[in-house]
Amino acid sequence: MHILIVEDDAETADFLLRGLKEAGDVAEWCSTVEEALLMAPGKRFDAIVFDRMLPDMDGINAVRLLRQAKVATPVIMLTAMSGIDDRVDGLDAGADDYMVKPFAFSELYARLKALLRRRQPLESEPTQLQVGNLQLDRTTQRVTRGDQTIDLARREYKILELLMQHKDEVVTRTMLLERVWGYGFDPRTSIVQTHVSRLRNKIDKPFDHELIKTVRGAGYVISE
């Protein structure tokens, strides 16, 4: 990934730059909105990490200017302001995600990767997904296991689709919130656990072999 960091705090910027470098990615840093508005349109950044409280302009107004300039690069906004209204303001301004300081780099990195996955064209993805004897047809949205058709609610289907797209890989709770519910923040509820439990009752419980597994402290994985 090629990431632009817009952050006036040198310590936070250094933390992000080192983390991205260690992950094998490329990052550039600027400390003002003026610099960001010059850099963002002219380079092929995969995402922008934008601090909200900057010396020359509020980050929300800066993101609005980016969107008005037709810069479609995904933006994650960082801020110490944690109120619901603050989050809504950031998302309404054109940010794609919103994280409250202090934050864990691992979560920020997972969110960056999730943003990039959402931008990948669906046409390049297979229409038929399969794990063992479980099949999902993305064209008809038909799900079968063996010779049995399984009826799923809309969000159960989307959870299963995401799990099967990432067969043998851990799908985190954050990924599910972002991709299935469209949340850019954690609502602090058991909504994911509840829906995964309902999905398991349909996909695994009637059969003698469990496909969906919990990875404690990480998320879920589907595998044969």
Side-chain angles (χ1 to χ4, degrees), residues 1-19:
M1 294 187 290
H2 189 188
I3 309 298
L4 175 61
I5 299 167
V6 188
E7 170 64 66
D8 65 322
D9 182 75
E11 186 175 342
T12 301
D14 182 64
F15 171 70
L16 292 170
L17 288 166
R18 285 189 288 108

Side-chain angles (χ1 to χ4, degrees), residues 12 23 28 82 108 119 137-138 148 165 170 178-179:
T12 301
E28 296 183 44
S82 59
L108 174 65
R119 286 171 60 86
D137 187 322
R138 301 174 75 187
Q148 183 174 330
Q165 282 178 281
V170 175
E178 290 172 338
R179 299 286 294 277

Side-chain angles (χ1 to χ4, degrees), residues 153-195:
R154 182 173 64 88
R155 286 207 167 97
E156 293 167 355
Y157 173 87
K158 291 176 75 69
I159 292 170
L160 181 63
E161 180 183 35
L162 185 59
L163 289 170
M164 294 181 74
Q165 282 178 281
H166 298 276
K167 174 186 174 182
D168 299 323
E169 300 176 9
V170 175
V171 174
T172 67
R173 183 173 181 273
T174 298
M175 288 171 61
L176 288 166
L177 285 169
E178 290 172 338
R179 299 286 294 277
V180 176
W181 281 270
Y183 289 166
F185 55 88
D186 190 342
R188 305 293 182 185
T189 69
S190 61
I191 189 170
V192 172
Q193 182 180 352
T194 299
H195 280 74

Side-chain angles (χ1 to χ4, degrees), residues 45-110:
F45 291 105
D46 295 305
I48 304 173
V49 178
F50 226 117
D51 184 28
R52 175 165 179 175
M53 303 301 290
L54 292 161
D56 55 339
M57 186 185 295
D58 187 292
I60 284 182
N61 291 330
V63 172
R64 285 198 182 100
L65 289 176
L66 281 179
R67 297 311 186 215
Q68 289 169 10
K70 307 301 181 184
V71 177
T73 308
V75 171
I76 294 183
M77 185 164 285
L78 299 179
T79 181
M81 303 169 70
S82 59
I84 294 295
D85 289 343
D86 297 312
R87 301 178 189 183
V88 170
D89 287 345
L91 296 171
D92 283 347
D96 299 272
D97 204 348
Y98 195 103
M99 288 192 68
V100 177
K101 297 178 179 179
F103 59 90
F105 177 79
S106 58
E107 182 181 359
L108 174 65
Y109 193 68

